[in-house]
Amino acid sequence: MAELVINDLHVDVETESGPKPILHGVNLTINSGEIHAIMGPNGSGKSTLAYALAGHPKYTITSGSAQLDGVELTGLSVDDRAKAGLFMAMQYPVEVPGVSTSNFLRTAKTALDGQAPKVRTWPKIVTGALQRLEMDPSFAARSINEGFSGGEKKRGEIVQLDVLNPKFAILDEIDSGLDIDAVRIVAGGINRYADQGDRSVLLITHYTRILQYIKPSHVHVFVNGRIVESGGKELADELEVSGYDKYAKAVRV
């Protein structure tokens, strides 16, 4: 099971001039097996929601709650949130020189499962995930994201999702900067994860092109730090035609 319940979540971000309120009461429930897409204009707070849930130190939850399968996340450290089943793929994956992809994944898998994967089968597991994302097996020995192209970094995030297989995945603009083929490959990895039936996905995106390959159960419009409209895939289709302007104007009024 992987149910995320967000109730009246308020979040400040740390800036040079002090804390700045970004989220103004987010309410959202994502049930096990569902894919929820959050769409909205730049600066609306979509990524703030992702980082706050993941526990980024620049983002402070000032009130409200977020529970994953009944476990309150807001008081947990980043690694304890991961152990609770939360995974986040970042919009801008960082390079980690000197740490191979295989060793990083093995360390993470050991921390999550409480025991190390078997040495004999581990290379096959990593190689299989790389091949499913159409990446050469040699990437296993390369430092995380060092010298990777933008598309390779994003596919590498989904390799992590494949290997670690968490209960709940937050994917922050995983499709940004990808060409058509890379969007298809990344979407395929997300669908394989979701098709297990008991996993849940929060997909943050600006564009509908990835939704040509992934069918969300719910679509939400995010404006000015809150959800202002919810619907199905038809809402994403409407946004593709008319944009966010009418929702932004309604919030300003």
mmCIF file of all heavy atoms in Angstrom, residues 164-195:
data_model
loop_
_atom_site.group_PDB
_atom_site.id
_atom_site.type_symbol
_atom_site.label_atom_id
_atom_site.label_comp_id
_atom_site.label_asym_id
_atom_site.label_seq_id
_atom_site.Cartn_x
_atom_site.Cartn_y
_atom_site.Cartn_z
ATOM 1 N N LEU A 164 15.332 0.579 -6.667
ATOM 2 C CA LEU A 164 14.945 0.757 -5.270
ATOM 3 C C LEU A 164 13.480 0.387 -5.023
ATOM 4 O O LEU A 164 13.119 -0.018 -3.922
ATOM 5 C CB LEU A 164 15.206 2.197 -4.838
ATOM 6 C CG LEU A 164 16.669 2.649 -4.937
ATOM 7 C CD1 LEU A 164 16.798 4.116 -4.531
ATOM 8 C CD2 LEU A 164 17.585 1.782 -4.092
ATOM 9 N N ASN A 165 12.645 0.566 -6.042
ATOM 10 C CA ASN A 165 11.236 0.168 -6.000
ATOM 11 C C ASN A 165 10.531 0.646 -4.728
ATOM 12 O O ASN A 165 9.990 -0.163 -3.955
ATOM 13 C CB ASN A 165 11.109 -1.352 -6.131
ATOM 14 C CG ASN A 165 9.682 -1.777 -6.469
ATOM 15 O OD1 ASN A 165 8.909 -1.011 -7.023
ATOM 16 N ND2 ASN A 165 9.334 -3.001 -6.099
ATOM 17 N N PRO A 166 10.496 1.959 -4.487
ATOM 18 C CA PRO A 166 9.851 2.486 -3.279
ATOM 19 C C PRO A 166 8.333 2.366 -3.364
ATOM 20 O O PRO A 166 7.777 2.045 -4.423
ATOM 21 C CB PRO A 166 10.279 3.956 -3.289
ATOM 22 C CG PRO A 166 10.400 4.262 -4.757
ATOM 23 C CD PRO A 166 10.972 3.030 -5.371
ATOM 24 N N LYS A 167 7.662 2.670 -2.263
ATOM 25 C CA LYS A 167 6.200 2.628 -2.254
ATOM 26 C C LYS A 167 5.592 3.818 -2.996
ATOM 27 O O LYS A 167 4.544 3.693 -3.627
ATOM 28 C CB LYS A 167 5.681 2.619 -0.808
ATOM 29 C CG LYS A 167 5.966 1.350 -0.047
ATOM 30 C CD LYS A 167 5.171 1.281 1.245
ATOM 31 C CE LYS A 167 5.552 2.336 2.247
ATOM 32 N NZ LYS A 167 4.825 2.168 3.539
ATOM 33 N N PHE A 168 6.264 4.975 -2.897
ATOM 34 C CA PHE A 168 5.672 6.209 -3.421
ATOM 35 C C PHE A 168 6.750 7.023 -4.125
ATOM 36 O O PHE A 168 7.810 7.270 -3.559
ATOM 37 C CB PHE A 168 5.069 7.041 -2.284
ATOM 38 C CG PHE A 168 4.202 8.172 -2.749
ATOM 39 C CD1 PHE A 168 2.827 8.034 -2.767
ATOM 40 C CD2 PHE A 168 4.755 9.359 -3.183
ATOM 41 C CE1 PHE A 168 2.019 9.080 -3.212
ATOM 42 C CE2 PHE A 168 3.969 10.399 -3.632
ATOM 43 C CZ PHE A 168 2.595 10.262 -3.645
ATOM 44 N N ALA A 169 6.468 7.457 -5.348
ATOM 45 C CA ALA A 169 7.450 8.201 -6.138
ATOM 46 C C ALA A 169 6.963 9.610 -6.450
ATOM 47 O O ALA A 169 5.852 9.785 -6.962
ATOM 48 C CB ALA A 169 7.745 7.468 -7.438
ATOM 49 N N ILE A 170 7.794 10.596 -6.117
ATOM 50 C CA ILE A 170 7.572 11.974 -6.534
ATOM 51 C C ILE A 170 8.531 12.251 -7.682
ATOM 52 O O ILE A 170 9.746 12.111 -7.530
ATOM 53 C CB ILE A 170 7.851 12.958 -5.383
ATOM 54 C CG1 ILE A 170 6.948 12.676 -4.186
ATOM 55 C CG2 ILE A 170 7.651 14.399 -5.853
ATOM 56 C CD1 ILE A 170 7.313 13.481 -2.951
ATOM 57 N N LEU A 171 7.998 12.632 -8.819
ATOM 58 C CA LEU A 171 8.814 12.860 -10.016
ATOM 59 C C LEU A 171 8.678 14.327 -10.407
ATOM 60 O O LEU A 171 7.649 14.747 -10.943
ATOM 61 C CB LEU A 171 8.355 11.938 -11.152
ATOM 62 C CG LEU A 171 8.248 10.452 -10.779
ATOM 63 C CD1 LEU A 171 7.691 9.644 -11.952
ATOM 64 C CD2 LEU A 171 9.595 9.898 -10.336
ATOM 65 N N ASP A 172 9.723 15.104 -10.116
ATOM 66 C CA ASP A 172 9.672 16.551 -10.312
ATOM 67 C C ASP A 172 10.183 16.915 -11.696
ATOM 68 O O ASP A 172 11.392 16.938 -11.938
ATOM 69 C CB ASP A 172 10.491 17.255 -9.222
ATOM 70 C CG ASP A 172 10.395 18.764 -9.319
ATOM 71 O OD1 ASP A 172 9.408 19.269 -9.885
ATOM 72 O OD2 ASP A 172 11.313 19.456 -8.821
ATOM 73 N N GLU A 173 9.251 17.197 -12.605
ATOM 74 C CA GLU A 173 9.580 17.596 -13.976
ATOM 75 C C GLU A 173 10.598 16.645 -14.598
ATOM 76 O O GLU A 173 11.599 17.070 -15.186
ATOM 77 C CB GLU A 173 10.046 19.049 -14.010
ATOM 78 C CG GLU A 173 8.953 19.995 -13.513
ATOM 79 C CD GLU A 173 9.203 21.454 -13.866
ATOM 80 O OE1 GLU A 173 9.828 21.719 -14.901
ATOM 81 O OE2 GLU A 173 8.759 22.317 -13.096
ATOM 82 N N ILE A 174 10.325 15.369 -14.479
ATOM 83 C CA ILE A 174 11.218 14.342 -15.006
ATOM 84 C C ILE A 174 11.317 14.417 -16.530
ATOM 85 O O ILE A 174 12.279 13.926 -17.122
ATOM 86 C CB ILE A 174 10.726 12.941 -14.559
ATOM 87 C CG1 ILE A 174 11.788 11.866 -14.792
ATOM 88 C CG2 ILE A 174 9.402 12.582 -15.232
ATOM 89 C CD1 ILE A 174 12.997 11.984 -13.915
ATOM 90 N N ASP A 175 10.350 15.088 -17.166
ATOM 91 C CA ASP A 175 10.329 15.178 -18.626
ATOM 92 C C ASP A 175 10.986 16.444 -19.158
ATOM 93 O O ASP A 175 11.140 16.591 -20.376
ATOM 94 C CB ASP A 175 8.896 15.108 -19.147
ATOM 95 C CG ASP A 175 7.988 16.156 -18.502
ATOM 96 O OD1 ASP A 175 8.270 16.582 -17.365
ATOM 97 O OD2 ASP A 175 6.983 16.541 -19.128
ATOM 98 N N SER A 176 11.417 17.361 -18.286
ATOM 99 C CA SER A 176 11.968 18.624 -18.779
ATOM 100 C C SER A 176 13.311 18.389 -19.465
ATOM 101 O O SER A 176 14.154 17.648 -18.978
ATOM 102 C CB SER A 176 12.135 19.631 -17.636
ATOM 103 O OG SER A 176 13.111 19.192 -16.720
ATOM 104 N N GLY A 177 13.475 19.008 -20.620
ATOM 105 C CA GLY A 177 14.728 18.908 -21.357
ATOM 106 C C GLY A 177 14.927 17.622 -22.121
ATOM 107 O O GLY A 177 16.014 17.396 -22.671
ATOM 108 N N LEU A 178 13.912 16.775 -22.194
ATOM 109 C CA LEU A 178 14.061 15.497 -22.889
ATOM 110 C C LEU A 178 13.573 15.595 -24.331
ATOM 111 O O LEU A 178 12.591 16.278 -24.621
ATOM 112 C CB LEU A 178 13.262 14.401 -22.173
ATOM 113 C CG LEU A 178 13.655 14.063 -20.744
ATOM 114 C CD1 LEU A 178 12.802 12.906 -20.236
ATOM 115 C CD2 LEU A 178 15.136 13.726 -20.639
ATOM 116 N N ASP A 179 14.253 14.869 -25.227
ATOM 117 C CA ASP A 179 13.754 14.788 -26.590
ATOM 118 C C ASP A 179 12.634 13.746 -26.651
ATOM 119 O O ASP A 179 12.295 13.091 -25.649
ATOM 120 C CB ASP A 179 14.873 14.472 -27.582
ATOM 121 C CG ASP A 179 15.549 13.127 -27.329
ATOM 122 O OD1 ASP A 179 14.912 12.209 -26.788
ATOM 123 O OD2 ASP A 179 16.745 12.984 -27.684
ATOM 124 N N ILE A 180 12.046 13.571 -27.825
ATOM 125 C CA ILE A 180 10.869 12.712 -27.964
ATOM 126 C C ILE A 180 11.168 11.278 -27.549
ATOM 127 O O ILE A 180 10.392 10.649 -26.822
ATOM 128 C CB ILE A 180 10.364 12.752 -29.422
ATOM 129 C CG1 ILE A 180 9.841 14.154 -29.751
ATOM 130 C CG2 ILE A 180 9.264 11.718 -29.637
ATOM 131 C CD1 ILE A 180 9.498 14.355 -31.207
ATOM 132 N N ASP A 181 12.313 10.750 -27.990
ATOM 133 C CA ASP A 181 12.642 9.364 -27.662
ATOM 134 C C ASP A 181 12.870 9.190 -26.164
ATOM 135 O O ASP A 181 12.441 8.195 -25.564
ATOM 136 C CB ASP A 181 13.889 8.909 -28.427
ATOM 137 C CG ASP A 181 13.620 8.749 -29.914
ATOM 138 O OD1 ASP A 181 12.465 8.431 -30.273
ATOM 139 O OD2 ASP A 181 14.551 8.946 -30.712
ATOM 140 N N ALA A 182 13.547 10.154 -25.536
ATOM 141 C CA ALA A 182 13.830 10.051 -24.108
ATOM 142 C C ALA A 182 12.554 10.139 -23.282
ATOM 143 O O ALA A 182 12.422 9.447 -22.256
ATOM 144 C CB ALA A 182 14.812 11.137 -23.687
ATOM 145 N N VAL A 183 11.596 10.972 -23.703
ATOM 146 C CA VAL A 183 10.305 11.037 -23.005
ATOM 147 C C VAL A 183 9.629 9.678 -23.042
ATOM 148 O O VAL A 183 9.100 9.191 -22.026
ATOM 149 C CB VAL A 183 9.385 12.112 -23.625
ATOM 150 C CG1 VAL A 183 7.974 12.004 -23.062
ATOM 151 C CG2 VAL A 183 9.929 13.499 -23.360
ATOM 152 N N ARG A 184 9.649 9.035 -24.188
ATOM 153 C CA ARG A 184 9.027 7.716 -24.331
ATOM 154 C C ARG A 184 9.699 6.694 -23.416
ATOM 155 O O ARG A 184 9.025 5.899 -22.745
ATOM 156 C CB ARG A 184 9.110 7.252 -25.792
ATOM 157 C CG ARG A 184 8.647 5.828 -26.023
ATOM 158 C CD ARG A 184 8.863 5.401 -27.463
ATOM 159 N NE ARG A 184 10.252 5.589 -27.905
ATOM 160 C CZ ARG A 184 11.239 4.743 -27.600
ATOM 161 N NH1 ARG A 184 11.008 3.679 -26.833
ATOM 162 N NH2 ARG A 184 12.456 4.965 -28.054
ATOM 163 N N ILE A 185 11.041 6.725 -23.369
ATOM 164 C CA ILE A 185 11.789 5.763 -22.554
ATOM 165 C C ILE A 185 11.516 5.980 -21.067
ATOM 166 O O ILE A 185 11.267 5.035 -20.310
ATOM 167 C CB ILE A 185 13.294 5.872 -22.855
ATOM 168 C CG1 ILE A 185 13.584 5.425 -24.288
ATOM 169 C CG2 ILE A 185 14.115 5.037 -21.869
ATOM 170 C CD1 ILE A 185 14.974 5.808 -24.783
ATOM 171 N N VAL A 186 11.572 7.242 -20.638
ATOM 172 C CA VAL A 186 11.314 7.573 -19.235
ATOM 173 C C VAL A 186 9.888 7.195 -18.854
ATOM 174 O O VAL A 186 9.642 6.605 -17.784
ATOM 175 C CB VAL A 186 11.588 9.066 -18.980
ATOM 176 C CG1 VAL A 186 10.951 9.528 -17.665
ATOM 177 C CG2 VAL A 186 13.089 9.328 -18.959
ATOM 178 N N ALA A 187 8.931 7.523 -19.715
ATOM 179 C CA ALA A 187 7.535 7.174 -19.441
ATOM 180 C C ALA A 187 7.358 5.670 -19.320
ATOM 181 O O ALA A 187 6.599 5.193 -18.466
ATOM 182 C CB ALA A 187 6.632 7.735 -20.528
ATOM 183 N N GLY A 188 8.066 4.924 -20.155
ATOM 184 C CA GLY A 188 7.987 3.475 -20.068
ATOM 185 C C GLY A 188 8.447 2.958 -18.722
ATOM 186 O O GLY A 188 7.849 2.038 -18.146
ATOM 187 N N GLY A 189 9.526 3.565 -18.185
ATOM 188 C CA GLY A 189 10.015 3.174 -16.870
ATOM 189 C C GLY A 189 9.021 3.496 -15.772
ATOM 190 O O GLY A 189 8.833 2.710 -14.825
ATOM 191 N N ILE A 190 8.372 4.645 -15.882
ATOM 192 C CA ILE A 190 7.369 5.032 -14.888
ATOM 193 C C ILE A 190 6.169 4.086 -14.945
ATOM 194 O O ILE A 190 5.642 3.656 -13.917
ATOM 195 C CB ILE A 190 6.932 6.490 -15.112
ATOM 196 C CG1 ILE A 190 8.126 7.430 -14.901
ATOM 197 C CG2 ILE A 190 5.774 6.869 -14.184
ATOM 198 C CD1 ILE A 190 7.876 8.849 -15.369
ATOM 199 N N ASN A 191 5.749 3.738 -16.156
ATOM 200 C CA ASN A 191 4.617 2.824 -16.298
ATOM 201 C C ASN A 191 4.935 1.441 -15.737
ATOM 202 O O ASN A 191 4.067 0.811 -15.114
ATOM 203 C CB ASN A 191 4.215 2.711 -17.774
ATOM 204 C CG ASN A 191 3.446 3.923 -18.263
ATOM 205 O OD1 ASN A 191 2.725 4.562 -17.498
ATOM 206 N ND2 ASN A 191 3.590 4.257 -19.532
ATOM 207 N N ARG A 192 6.158 0.956 -15.936
ATOM 208 C CA ARG A 192 6.523 -0.350 -15.375
ATOM 209 C C ARG A 192 6.432 -0.319 -13.849
ATOM 210 O O ARG A 192 5.967 -1.280 -13.229
ATOM 211 C CB ARG A 192 7.936 -0.741 -15.816
ATOM 212 C CG ARG A 192 8.014 -1.324 -17.213
ATOM 213 C CD ARG A 192 9.375 -1.927 -17.503
ATOM 214 N NE ARG A 192 10.449 -0.947 -17.465
ATOM 215 C CZ ARG A 192 10.813 -0.196 -18.501
ATOM 216 N NH1 ARG A 192 10.176 -0.314 -19.664
ATOM 217 N NH2 ARG A 192 11.807 0.656 -18.395
ATOM 218 N N TYR A 193 6.887 0.774 -13.285
ATOM 219 C CA TYR A 193 6.806 0.932 -11.828
ATOM 220 C C TYR A 193 5.348 0.957 -11.370
ATOM 221 O O TYR A 193 4.957 0.232 -10.443
ATOM 222 C CB TYR A 193 7.523 2.218 -11.430
ATOM 223 C CG TYR A 193 7.276 2.675 -10.014
ATOM 224 C CD1 TYR A 193 7.926 2.074 -8.940
ATOM 225 C CD2 TYR A 193 6.387 3.716 -9.743
ATOM 226 C CE1 TYR A 193 7.696 2.495 -7.633
ATOM 227 C CE2 TYR A 193 6.155 4.148 -8.450
ATOM 228 C CZ TYR A 193 6.810 3.527 -7.394
ATOM 229 O OH TYR A 193 6.579 3.940 -6.115
ATOM 230 N N ALA A 194 4.525 1.786 -12.025
ATOM 231 C CA ALA A 194 3.133 1.947 -11.617
ATOM 232 C C ALA A 194 2.311 0.695 -11.871
ATOM 233 O O ALA A 194 1.348 0.420 -11.137
ATOM 234 C CB ALA A 194 2.511 3.135 -12.350
ATOM 235 N N ASP A 195 2.663 -0.075 -12.874
ATOM 236 C CA ASP A 195 1.888 -1.258 -13.238
ATOM 237 C C ASP A 195 1.959 -2.371 -12.197
ATOM 238 O O ASP A 195 1.236 -3.368 -12.310
ATOM 239 C CB ASP A 195 2.345 -1.802 -14.598
ATOM 240 C CG ASP A 195 1.848 -0.956 -15.759
ATOM 241 O OD1 ASP A 195 0.968 -0.098 -15.535
ATOM 242 O OD2 ASP A 195 2.359 -1.133 -16.885
#
